[in-house]
Amino acid sequence: MRLQHMTVASFVDQLSAGTSSPGGGSVAALCGALASALGGLVARLTRSKEGYNHVWPDMEHIRDKTTVFAERFLYLMEEDVQAYASFLETGHLPTETPEEEDIRDHFREQTMKKAVVVPLEVLRCCRDVVPLLRDVAALGCRVAVNDAITGLALIRGTVVSSCLTAITNLALLSDEEFCASVRDEALSLMYDLNMEIDRTLENYLKALVGHSQETLP
């Protein structure tokens, strides 16, 4: 059964079952989907409120884009499972002759590259979703802004986990040029996105605390 078709309880049970998958990569992609959906929630709520007419076009854009990215993250969640399963299957290939060892090593390299590319693609999706969450937090209706902030908190986990997963898997590869390219891109994305998320969370917290103090008797 595909992960996205499981009940929440079944997914959690399988996650803790001690099998090779699902694991951190799948959970990271799922958190990306949930974060995107929260952005869509705030956009839709804001689009339904008359007092926010001036940002309706922005909300429609965010609604449509977050829907696309939520689906993309779920697709990558399934791809993460398949990529790792394919890598594990190479362990069953014969290695009785030098030729068979070469074939096994080739397939191990190719399948592990896929296991690296998937979390890297998750990171790239985060790069596009974080600004949407930032904007909907800034422009969306006040009663729902905390949902957008929750989305940012979730996607921070996606960013860090995906970066670490991609870099960890590089240790099993021999293609130095590929490894250097992935490492540079993954680290750059992680640092840049974390800085952007930190700025948004800090500004939100300052505004929230300041508002709370203003309402004190």
Side-chain angles (χ1 to χ4, degrees):
M1 177 184 294
R2 292 169 65 82
L3 295 181
Q4 61 186 289
H5 295 155
M6 290 181 172
T7 64
V8 174
S10 296
F11 182 91
V12 171
D13 285 344
Q14 184 162 337
L15 188 63
S16 63
T19 56
S20 59
S21 63
S26 302
V27 171
L30 176 59
C31 286
L34 294 173
S36 300
L38 283 167
L41 163 69
V42 180
R44 285 177 171 82
L45 286 174
T46 305
R47 179 62 181 79
S48 70
K49 294 187 177 297
E50 293 295 335
Y52 289 85
N53 310 54
H54 59 292
V55 296
W56 279 4
D58 300 285
M59 294 302 110
E60 290 168 0
H61 171 74
I62 293 171
R63 176 199 63 200
D64 294 344
K65 296 295 288 185
T66 53
T67 297
V68 171
F69 279 111
E71 294 173 354
R72 179 65 177 164
F73 278 121
L74 290 178
Y75 169 79
L76 291 169
M77 178 178 69
E78 305 290 356
E79 285 291 287
D80 178 80
V81 172
Q82 292 302 317
Y84 192 61
S86 296
F87 174 75
L88 291 180
E89 287 174 5
T90 64
H92 302 297
L93 294 174
T95 56
E96 296 179 2
T97 67
E99 290 78 12
E100 287 177 340
E101 286 189 7
D102 288 343
I103 292 172
R104 193 277 307 269
D105 291 345
H106 170 76
F107 280 113
R108 282 176 65 86
E109 183 88 358
Q110 295 307 308
T111 54
M112 182 46 66
K113 279 186 176 180
K114 179 66 179 295
V116 167
V117 168
V118 171
L120 183 61
E121 182 60 25
V122 171
L123 262 174
R124 290 167 177 163
C125 289
C126 292
R127 174 188 57 200
D128 295 325
V129 171
V130 166
L132 298 173
L133 291 170
R134 178 201 62 207
D135 290 348
V136 81
L139 302 174
C141 58
R142 294 301 90 191
V143 295
V145 67
N146 195 64
D147 295 299
I149 296 299
T150 300
L152 280 170
L154 273 177
I155 210 163
R156 180 202 290 279
T158 300
V159 168
V160 174
S161 174
S162 298
C163 177
L164 296 180
T165 298
I167 292 176
T168 298
N169 289 341
L170 293 179
L172 299 173
L173 293 173
S174 60
D175 187 337
E176 294 182 3
E177 184 177 351
F178 175 83
C179 291
S181 175
V182 169
R183 187 181 300 110
D184 289 348
E185 182 178 359
L187 287 172
S188 177
L189 283 169
M190 185 183 74
Y191 288 136
D192 289 349
L193 290 171
N194 275 338
M195 286 180 61
E196 187 169 359
I197 293 169
D198 283 344
R199 283 195 299 268
T200 303
L201 294 181
E202 183 178 1
N203 291 336
Y204 174 70
L205 186 58
K206 286 180 179 178
L208 185 63
V209 171
H211 177 73
S212 298
Q213 291 175 338
E214 289 173 5
T215 58
L216 289 175

